[in-house]
Amino acid sequence: MTKRRTAEPYKIKAVEPLNILSHEERKQALEKAGYNTFLLDSQDVYIDLLTDSGTSAMSDQQWGSLMVGDEAYAGSKSWYRLQEAVREVYGYKYVLPTHQGRGAENLLSQLKVKDGDYVPGNMYFTTTRAHQELNGGTFVDVIIDEAHDPNAELDFKGNVDLNKLQNLIMEVGAERIPFVCLAVTVNMAGGQPVSMANMREVYELCQEHGIDVMYDATRCVENAYFIKEREPGYQNTPIKDILKEMFAYSDGCTMSGKKDALVNIGGFLAMNDEELYTRSRELVVVYEGMPTYGGMAGRDMEAMAQGIYESVDDHYIEHRIQQVRYLGDQLIEAGIPMVRPIGGHAIFLDARAFLDHLDQDQFPAQALAAALYLDSGVRAMERGIVSAGRNKETGEHNKPKLEMVRLTIPRRVYTNNHMDVVADSVIELYQKRHQIKGLQMDYEPPTLRFFNARFSPKEVALLEN
């Protein structure tokens, strides 16, 4: 029997008109932005796949929640609703709200990381590593080797290599490892998930050595979906139950509510250790605000609480993953080089293979993202040598094996027709890929350079019209 097609598990109540610029207008906008898609004005973008962070469409229930937000400076009712949602869905005892995920990363790194420490993780994330390094730590990648190969087909490509982790513990000593930072899913590997078995094994190994396990839980619901789909024994388990078991193999988490929690701003730091909570509560006042609002308004805490409950709806998350695959399957069929298998929140184009005529020092992922915007008005994000920054010892560019362009799908925002437009543009660019020129960096910020760096083409034009 042929599998029937499905539709979005929601209907549209409001629409926002999109601006479609001419090729010449896009060229001018790109030049003004220094060929950095982060610096484009949103009004100049047709389909915005820069990020899924804070770009979700909220439900009618979430919009209604905004109206009952309690904006009390202390003891907000909305805070208690958020706390209840986190405890019920994720299972942690203690919660502190922050303005977004990096606020939680800052608190955790200041409290746990000191000079000379090593923080192992399953591939780095930009802001997470920056906070660890600013507090004197050194990030150590302990992800399985296959995660660095865009063509390796594995169900759980985000898994930690237990031998790498064990060797690091033996080499530097458990006392110099404040925690393991376990991302579920792994953004920089292409949105790849971690298996439940691997989470359990990492937690057990760390317990043996007295090391905490802290999740980057930003896209944890997507990870739970992959477990349900791929790991034996979970096919008939509700997403909310898988999620609760996942968090049982951790000591706490940082969370950007702007992704899986379906809101436009906000995050939290959660944990089970009372002493760490007490220290965190004291520090949150310095950087975020009162422990009962952190960096959030009451209305945003209400919307996040509602979004947390909506995020674990099985129909919602199935559609979310399937829409990403809808785009990815078209690109695979056309022979587009990309990270496989298709991950949870985005399609990651393999820019090194796509633009195989460019050296990595010519910033191929940055060039491809710029060319995509120029071709169709679709905004994507570089995730390669620019995002990787420089080696703090040598000053040389870090050269990751993965040089990618991320096409990030916002939640509940676009239809599959929009995905068709994106696919057509990528496929046409691939057919004329050797016309795309490399870039040079004209301005380089010292930290997290990909946000504000500026570029220009090494030749007269980035792409022939």
Side-chain angles (χ1 to χ4, degrees):
M1 180 178 176
T2 303
K3 184 178 180 181
R4 290 190 176 185
R5 289 176 289 183
T6 60
E8 290 79 2
Y10 53 83
K11 58 183 179 180
I12 298 167
K13 284 190 174 182
V15 296
E16 176 185 350
L18 297 175
N19 198 15
I20 304 176
L21 304 184
S22 68
H23 182 275
E24 184 59 35
E25 289 171 326
R26 293 196 299 272
K27 181 180 177 182
Q28 293 175 9
L30 194 59
E31 290 173 350
K32 178 183 175 183
Y35 293 82
N36 185 346
T37 52
F38 276 95
L39 301 180
L40 289 166
D41 292 336
S42 67
Q43 66 180 7
D44 295 332
V45 174
Y46 175 28
I47 299 174
D48 201 344
L49 307 186
L50 183 74
T51 182
D52 60 333
S53 180
T55 58
S56 298
M58 293 202 302
S59 70
D60 54 350
Q61 294 294 315
Q62 287 180 288
W63 283 107
S65 295
L66 296 180
M67 299 306 296
V68 297
D70 178 8
E71 306 304 337
Y73 188 84
S76 166
K77 292 181 291 185
S78 301
W79 150 245
Y80 289 108
R81 182 156 188 255
L82 175 60
Q83 178 180 247
E84 180 183 5
V86 173
R87 286 176 171 174
E88 181 179 340
V89 175
Y90 304 124
Y92 293 116
K93 295 179 182 177
Y94 305 109
V95 191
L96 285 168
T98 58
H99 72 283
Q100 61 184 78
R102 70 193 60 178
E105 293 169 356
N106 174 45
L107 296 175
L108 180 63
S109 294
Q110 287 212 37
L111 290 166
K112 297 279 285 183
V113 181
K114 61 184 183 302
D115 283 338
D117 279 351
Y118 294 84
V119 186
N122 52 342
M123 204 173 285
Y124 80 98
F125 183 67
T126 51
T127 59
T128 313
R129 187 181 67 182
H131 284 300
Q132 293 165 2
E133 291 177 347
L134 287 170
N135 285 280
T138 299
F139 166 78
V140 181
D141 191 0
V142 293
I143 203 168
I144 58 175
D145 290 339
E146 293 87 345
H148 295 279
D149 179 358
N151 298 310
E153 292 269 7
L154 293 175
D155 284 344
F156 295 102
K157 212 168 171 181
N159 280 359
V160 167
D161 185 321
L162 293 171
N163 288 327
K164 289 182 182 179
L165 180 55
Q166 179 72 67
N167 290 339
L168 179 66
I169 295 171
M170 294 299 101
E171 179 184 347
V172 305
E175 68 280 359
R176 297 179 69 185
I177 301 176
F179 58 90
V180 172
C181 184
L182 188 65
V184 288
T185 59
V186 186
N187 186 355
M188 301 297 281
Q192 301 298 320
V194 181
S195 71
M196 189 75 81
N198 190 248
M199 294 181 211
R200 186 184 307 113
E201 291 165 344
V202 169
Y203 187 60
E204 290 172 352
L205 175 59
C206 288
Q207 280 195 313
E208 290 177 16
H209 296 279
I211 300 170
D212 285 347
V213 176
M214 305 297 291
Y215 285 175
D216 175 348
T218 295
R219 299 179 180 89
C220 57
V221 182
E222 294 174 7
N223 201 108
Y225 180 85
F226 286 118
I227 290 173
K228 180 181 179 71
E229 182 182 59
R230 300 175 182 175
E231 195 158 359
Y234 290 95
Q235 279 66 39
N236 298 316
T237 306
I239 289 294
K240 63 182 179 62
D241 293 339
I242 295 173
L243 202 64
K244 189 68 72 70
E245 183 180 348
M246 284 171 54
F247 284 105
Y249 303 128
S250 70
D251 298 287
C253 79
T254 58
M255 181 71 173
S256 171
K258 298 167 67 177
K259 285 85 168 176
D260 268 358
L262 298 168
V263 287
N264 307 127
I265 197 67
F268 60 81
L269 173 64
M271 67 216 72
N272 291 321
D273 181 79
E274 186 175 5
E275 181 184 357
L276 178 61
Y277 167 68
T278 299
R279 294 169 60 210
S280 302
R281 187 178 58 191
E282 294 165 355
L283 197 60
V284 79
V285 178
V286 178
Y287 289 99
E288 301 287 330
M290 278 290 291
T292 51
Y293 75 86
M296 301 177 67
R299 55 184 174 270
D300 294 320
M301 291 191 287
E302 289 281 354
M304 185 186 290
Q306 177 64 29
I308 287 172
Y309 291 121
E310 292 180 10
S311 72
V312 295
D313 176 79
D314 288 72
H315 298 296
Y316 151 73
I317 189 60
E318 179 180 17
H319 170 263
R320 194 281 188 285
I321 299 295
Q322 295 304 325
Q323 185 173 56
V324 177
R325 285 183 185 161
Y326 177 80
L327 172 58
D329 287 343
Q330 292 187 65
L331 300 182
I332 289 173
E333 184 177 352
I336 305 299
M338 52 182 277
V339 173
R340 300 171 68 171
I342 298 168
H345 67 291
I347 300 302
F348 288 75
L349 303 178
D350 181 356
R352 296 179 80 170
F354 199 114
L355 302 180
D356 56 5
H357 59 290
L358 298 183
D359 294 331
Q360 197 170 17
D361 286 330
Q362 294 176 288
F363 310 114
Q366 193 76 40
L368 181 53
L372 179 63
Y373 172 76
L374 186 60
D375 180 74
S376 60
V378 173
R379 175 159 64 170
M381 177 193 293
E382 184 272 356
R383 276 292 178 244
I385 189 173
V386 180
S387 293
R390 291 185 182 271
N391 185 295
K392 63 181 181 180
E393 302 291 338
T394 67
E396 298 295 320
H397 291 299
N398 291 319
K399 292 188 174 181
K401 293 181 180 179
L402 294 175
E403 180 76 16
M404 305 176 295
V405 170
R406 191 180 80 176
L407 307 171
T408 330
I409 316 302
R411 295 161 182 80
R412 306 189 296 201
V413 172
Y414 294 116
T415 69
N416 284 353
N417 287 337
H418 293 100
M419 299 301 102
D420 292 338
V421 171
V422 176
D424 288 348
S425 180
V426 172
I427 292 168
E428 186 170 329
L429 275 179
Y430 189 61
Q431 293 168 351
K432 57 183 180 182
R433 59 192 179 277
H434 292 111
Q435 298 178 23
I436 299 175
K437 314 302 181 184
L439 298 174
Q440 61 189 18
M441 191 181 297
D442 299 327
Y443 167 67
E444 179 181 358
T447 305
L448 298 174
R449 63 186 186 177
F450 62 93
F451 282 119
N452 289 302
R454 299 184 68 85
F455 305 84
S456 60
K458 279 183 169 292
E459 301 185 30
V460 176
L462 171 70
L463 176 65
E464 298 174 16
N465 187 5

